[in-house]
Amino acid sequence: MTDLAPLRADDPSHVGAYELLGRVGEGGQGSVFLGASPSGERVAVKLLRQSPGTDRPTGPVPDPLLREIEILRRVAPFCTAQVVETGMLGAQPYIVSEYVQGPTLQQVVDTEGPLRDARLRRLAVGTMTALSAIHRAGVVHRDFKPSNVLLGRDGPRVIDFGIARALDAAATGSGVVGTPPYMAPEQFESAPVGPSADLFAWGSTMVFAATGKPPFGRDSLPAVVNRILHRDPDLGDLDGDLRDLVEECLSKDPGRRPTAKDALLLLLGARERRPDGDLLTAGTAVASGAPEAAVVPGAPPARRGRRGTLLAGVAVAVALLSGGVVYTMIRGSVPDDAEVSASPSPAVIREVTAVPAAPAREIRLPELKTRLHESPGDPIHITSYMHLRKDVSDSFAREAKDEKFQSIGPYQEPLVSPDGAWTAVLPWIKASTPGPRDSIRLIKRATGQEFLVHTVSKPTANYNPYWSSDGRRVLLTTYDRALGTRQVLGFVVVDVATARATVVSVDTKGIGDFPFMWAPGESTVAVRFPSGSGAGLRLFDLRGKTVRTIPSVGEPSSSENTFSPAGKQFVTLCPDRIATACLWDTATGRRRATIPVPVASTLIGWYNDAHVILLDRTRDPRRVVAVNTEGKVVRVLAEIPADELGGGGGRFVPRYTRTGH
């Protein structure tokens, strides 16, 4: 999408909430416009041809075409232009998608000649990644061709997927849907058209990219169709494993063509099958030219306390840089409708102060020597974790049915909601996030259905996710990755019911890189800020306005919410004593207790309202323990070998969900 023509006299000025700025192009399916959202973000708006025989606006029962195009929003944005909205303009359907700046593959080959070497390889991987994502959502492209591949700055993007199927579903008659030089034999024979037809079109498109012409020619339609049905393809000088794969994709028999997932495995050189999310992330990274290394470009750095104690960051990026362990314990049923005030009262819930008497069971995790000690009465349980290694970093989430940990792909930070209904997945290698905005995935655990929510525009990025106690919202911290200090800019609240994000900017002068956390009542958020005697807390409402400041309380944990489950107190490293943790009254800001802790320890957060959690580094294996207000260990939650906290065994990064026991 490069050239922009002015709007015509009969063009609408707006489609839905989007202002049309100019014409990008026009084809058999409809017209494409450059649009602007109410917030000023550029989008592509495709106004489709009116459905045959349809002259009415949409009603309670949607048009068949509208039903089809609504399905397109399921496709995850791996090397595709993400569909953000669909609707009707009178009787004319429209699709709003991410705007990708760049020429089409057709334009590049026609003007610059065929692609070679690494550029061709990236194209093959990127487009196959896109087809894998499209097929995974239950969609068939049906019109894959060079003009439907955009070559953006961050790699190839596939567009217009599923529109041919939608138009065919809405049509009153039957006919050939597609572009003949790139169509599969079954599309000319009234046979069922499935994902394998896209593999045939992909093979033809790769031949065009490598040679400048499609494998069955582009002269008269009868001649092209005859060659597709009866002749072998002309692959030109295409060679190596790419030639072998293309030849397999161009088989006349749909059953002999590989699936998109198997083809992507071959292109990536994988020796074993991997989960879909793993493959799609890896494919996107290769297509964009990003190095496949376990590094976090622009991630917020770890922070050290004033006594040198390492405070592990909540974001996986922080854990990578700090070598620390990350724990997130998500609080249970706290009302989220409390009024905002200058001195908010903490929410009142049933406080739990006892430690379960039931014996703990030992849990071992795949490829790890770490031992977890879990009791049915624990108020927190590990529901996801990451295993960060030099070669690859895997992420796992606990299944809702059998409670087994299943991989959800590399370079992701998973977080299960308190009610167990959702898993939020935040990418922490932002180069693998396609498009101009950062995003978070919401996965419905019962069905596997996924929703992608865009958040902030790059180069700003989100880290440090926290679920609200009712599982309805996710809080993220926004960082400016362009600044060397990784300055916090504000926060984002993601609403699960609407799959929308609210971006809030705040005056964060002096905050540095500490994350936001939910404050008691969850109508405010809190963040650490410098004060005269070390550090304090500052509370903001959900519009970004400062509502309260609690000065000189010492360093809170940067890896977990500093407020207790009931919200009546919070914990910090004491500002005036070494090897102590301080408990503070939330309402008054006064000190309640001082807890002795080992010098070589990390403050994690709360076990329940009477016990805090520490990572004791005085022995090997390291111990994650719950201690009472006298500093006595009352519960060992995990034993982690020292080398699995940053040595040769990688880093074990567990995530806890609070169950409300």
Side-chain angles (χ1 to χ4, degrees):
M1 297 183 182
T2 52
D3 299 328
L4 190 66
L7 296 176
R8 299 173 183 171
D10 57 346
D11 287 334
S13 61
H14 287 76
V15 171
Y18 301 90
E19 179 186 4
L20 301 188
L21 305 178
R23 276 182 163 263
V24 174
E26 186 171 15
Q29 296 175 342
S31 301
V32 183
F33 302 87
L34 174 65
S37 71
S39 62
E41 184 176 5
R42 298 296 176 92
V43 294
V45 180
K46 186 152 194 171
L47 198 56
L48 301 179
R49 301 295 182 199
Q50 183 173 325
S51 305
T54 301
D55 57 2
R56 56 169 176 80
T58 184
V61 179
D63 180 272
L65 191 152
L66 188 59
R67 289 200 302 267
E68 290 290 336
I69 62 176
E70 178 62 23
I71 296 173
L72 307 186
R73 298 180 68 179
R74 300 177 186 171
V75 177
F78 291 95
C79 297
T80 64
Q82 175 70 16
V83 174
V84 297
E85 184 176 315
T86 62
M88 298 288 287
L89 182 66
Q92 200 166 4
Y94 67 83
I95 298 174
V96 180
S97 63
E98 174 190 353
Y99 179 74
V100 181
Q101 181 69 37
T104 67
L105 174 62
Q106 182 79 49
Q107 292 169 332
V108 169
V109 173
D110 287 347
T111 58
E112 302 176 16
L115 276 58
R116 303 291 184 208
D117 303 324
R119 196 178 183 194
L120 178 63
R121 190 76 181 191
R122 288 196 297 270
L123 173 74
V125 172
T127 50
M128 190 59 74
T129 299
L131 287 180
S132 297
I134 291 166
H135 294 171
R136 183 186 183 195
V139 175
V140 179
H141 195 300
R142 289 169 65 101
D143 196 20
F144 186 91
K145 57 187 177 182
S147 61
N148 277 338
V149 177
L150 295 174
L151 301 183
R153 288 176 295 180
D154 56 352
R157 301 288 193 88
V158 174
I159 62 173
D160 283 359
F161 44 85
I163 295 178
R165 162 65 180 145
L167 290 170
D168 189 36
T172 56
S174 61
V176 174
V177 177
T179 304
Y182 304 95
M183 290 169 61
E186 59 267 27
Q187 291 178 276
F188 297 103
E189 297 176 330
S190 299
V193 176
S196 59
D198 288 345
L199 273 293
F200 191 97
W202 177 88
S204 297
T205 299
M206 292 306 103
V207 174
F208 170 81
T211 68
K213 60 182 181 180
F216 300 100
R218 52 186 171 193
D219 45 345
S220 69
L221 178 59
V224 170
V225 173
N226 181 65
R227 295 187 198 110
I228 290 174
L229 293 175
H230 305 295
R231 302 289 182 85
D232 292 333
D234 179 4
L235 303 184
D237 57 359
L238 190 66
D239 60 5
D241 61 340
L242 184 55
R243 181 187 180 98
D244 293 339
L245 178 58
V246 165
E247 194 169 26
E248 190 176 352
C249 289
L250 292 176
S251 171
K252 311 294 185 191
D253 180 2
R256 298 180 66 87
R257 299 172 205 150
T259 65
K261 182 176 179 179
D262 287 340
L264 183 56
L265 278 165
L266 291 170
L267 288 169
L268 294 175
R271 298 181 179 179
E272 59 182 14
R273 298 188 69 86
R274 301 297 300 273
D276 290 355
D278 187 326
L279 283 176
L280 296 176
T281 302
T284 301
V286 171
S288 67
E292 292 186 286
V295 296
V296 187
R303 186 173 187 89
R304 290 184 176 272
R306 60 183 177 82
R307 295 183 295 275
T309 303
L310 188 61
L311 304 178
V314 99
V316 183
V318 180
L320 273 175
L321 296 172
S322 71
V325 130
V326 179
Y327 294 84
T328 294
M329 294 157 290
I330 305 168
R331 298 189 289 118
S333 308
V334 179
D336 64 353
D337 56 356
E339 291 292 324
V340 177
S341 65
S343 182
S345 299
V348 178
I349 64 171
R350 179 174 60 92
E351 295 188 28
V352 180
T353 57
V355 173
R361 56 173 179 157
E362 183 175 286
I363 298 175
R364 294 181 178 269
L365 302 176
E367 302 178 2
L368 289 170
K369 297 178 182 177
T370 291
R371 293 179 294 169
L372 310 180
H373 303 288
E374 189 175 274
S375 173
D378 283 330
I380 54 174
H381 290 91
I382 291 177
T383 54
S384 60
Y385 71 92
M386 290 148 284
H387 185 200
L388 311 179
R389 293 170 288 174
K390 183 178 270 188
D391 55 342
V392 66
S393 297
D394 294 320
S395 304
F396 300 84
R398 214 164 193 170
E399 290 291 294
K401 295 180 180 179
D402 56 15
E403 294 197 339
K404 292 182 179 179
F405 288 94
Q406 300 292 336
S407 173
I408 61 170
Y411 313 124
Q412 308 288 325
E413 183 174 11
L415 204 60
V416 176
S417 63
D419 57 7
W422 297 88
T423 300
V425 182
L426 187 69
W428 46 265
I429 293 187
K430 301 305 180 180
S432 68
T433 306
R437 290 184 291 172
D438 201 356
S439 60
I440 185 171
R441 273 192 298 149
L442 302 173
I443 304 175
K444 206 165 193 175
R445 300 179 78 210
T447 63
Q449 188 178 12
E450 296 188 10
F451 301 87
L452 187 85
V453 182
H454 292 297
T455 56
V456 295
S457 297
K458 298 176 181 177
T460 55
N462 289 127
Y463 298 95
N464 310 81
Y466 285 99
W467 276 101
S468 63
S469 59
D470 58 9
R472 292 165 51 190
R473 296 172 295 170
V474 184
L475 175 67
L476 309 171
T477 299
T478 302
Y479 293 88
D480 187 346
R481 297 173 64 213
L483 299 176
T485 57
R486 310 304 171 200
Q487 175 65 45
V488 170
L489 298 179
F491 58 90
V492 173
V493 177
V494 178
D495 184 270
V496 174
T498 62
R500 293 187 180 275
T502 300
V503 179
V504 181
S505 298
V506 301
D507 180 7
T508 56
K509 184 178 180 180
I511 289 177
D513 56 19
F514 269 76
F516 284 89
M517 65 193 78
W518 290 111
E522 297 179 352
S523 59
T524 56
V525 296
V527 68
R528 176 258 193 209
F529 82 103
S531 70
S533 300
L537 292 177
R538 182 163 290 162
L539 277 67
F540 299 84
D541 66 19
L542 299 186
R543 299 178 297 274
K545 179 182 177 182
T546 301
V547 296
R548 189 184 178 198
T549 296
I550 310 176
S552 306
V553 292
E555 297 281 356
S557 170
S558 62
S559 64
E560 177 46 44
N561 199 312
T562 195
F563 294 97
S564 66
K568 292 185 177 181
Q569 54 191 340
F570 60 93
V571 62
T572 67
L573 293 173
C574 293
D576 53 357
R577 298 186 190 179
I578 296 176
T580 55
C582 283
L583 302 187
W584 305 86
D585 185 275
T586 300
T588 65
R590 295 174 182 171
R591 188 181 308 194
R592 280 188 170 186
T594 301
I595 307 174
V597 300
V599 174
S601 64
T602 298
L603 174 63
I604 302 298
W606 291 87
Y607 176 79
N608 58 26
D609 286 278
H611 302 85
V612 298
I613 297 179
L614 305 170
L615 174 63
D616 182 356
R617 298 175 178 271
T618 60
R619 62 183 73 190
D620 191 4
R622 310 306 195 213
R623 297 194 310 165
V624 179
V625 295
V627 302
N628 62 18
T629 54
E630 285 78 41
K632 179 181 178 181
V633 174
V634 296
R635 181 86 162 76
V636 177
L637 300 174
E639 295 177 279
I640 309 172
D643 76 330
E644 290 185 1
L645 289 177
R651 298 182 183 92
F652 169 61
V653 184
R655 308 305 305 269
Y656 280 92
T657 294
R658 183 164 295 279
T659 60
H661 286 292

